[in-house]
Amino acid sequence: MLTKYLFVFFVSMVPLIELRGAIPIATGMGLDLLPSYIIAVIGNMIPVPFIYFFARKVLEWGKDKPLIGKFFSFCLTKGEKAGKKLQEKAGRGLFLALLLFVGIPVPGTGAWTGTLGASILDIDFKHSVIAVMLGVLLAGVLMLLVSLGLFSAIGLR
């Protein structure tokens, strides 16, 4: 049982998959919902400070390196686009925009991209983390609802 929860924890840390994939996996494995939700949220939030403080620097460093340059450039471009898009749409409501960007579980959004965008926009750390945390909590609730509905509909829950 512990290994299943650890699996959920580590899946929630993976970029692009994050808790959006971890919660349906936990639901599919028949794990208890509340502990799975909490573990997925914690796993999704652990990388946030590292992304905020180091990801931009690492991506800038690696964008012209052989083998990793294309991927790093892609990530940097994606973060810059996400940040600019947020800023354009939000204006003064940047906090709420970041929260919703992370919280609405669609491909290409999430804690990793949102935090990278916040870092590129130079949103202060405290506000970034709070907005991302609230967004992750929202995404988790939405994914729980979707997962429960999906698994109930096909008779697995």
Side-chain angles (χ1 to χ4, degrees):
M1 185 70 95
L2 179 62
T3 55
K4 289 182 180 182
Y5 283 113
L6 282 173
F7 184 73
V8 169
F9 176 76
F10 287 117
V11 166
S12 68
M13 296 174 92
V14 176
L16 300 176
I17 299 173
E18 302 182 31
L19 121 160
R20 292 154 168 72
I23 288 178
I25 288 170
T27 306
M29 290 192 297
L31 296 174
D32 290 332
L33 296 178
L34 185 59
S36 298
Y37 174 81
I38 293 168
I39 288 167
V41 167
I42 292 169
N44 202 178
M45 287 302 296
I46 284 177
V48 167
F50 301 100
I51 297 164
Y52 185 87
F53 290 115
F54 303 115
R56 184 176 175 186
K57 293 172 184 160
V58 170
L59 292 172
E60 289 285 346
W61 168 84
K63 70 181 179 184
D64 59 352
K65 303 288 186 267
L67 299 176
I68 60 171
K70 285 184 181 181
F71 177 71
F72 279 34
S73 292
F74 167 77
C75 292
L76 194 57
T77 302
K78 185 158 180 58
E80 288 172 353
K81 282 183 183 177
K84 288 177 184 173
K85 188 175 181 181
L86 272 175
Q87 200 166 33
E88 286 172 12
K89 288 186 175 186
R92 291 176 45 185
L94 200 52
F95 179 88
L96 182 60
L98 180 58
L99 185 157
L100 292 174
F101 179 83
V102 173
I104 298 174
V106 295
T109 67
W112 281 76
T113 309
T115 304
L116 182 58
S119 170
I120 289 170
L121 288 175
D122 292 322
I123 301 172
D124 73 280
F125 178 71
K126 179 182 172 186
H127 286 98
S128 297
V129 170
I130 292 170
V132 169
M133 172 64 107
L134 292 172
V136 165
L137 292 170
L138 173 61
V141 168
L142 294 174
M143 289 311 300
L144 271 175
L145 294 173
V146 168
S147 296
L148 287 173
L150 175 66
F151 286 104
S152 293
I154 59 175
L156 294 177
R157 198 89 160 112

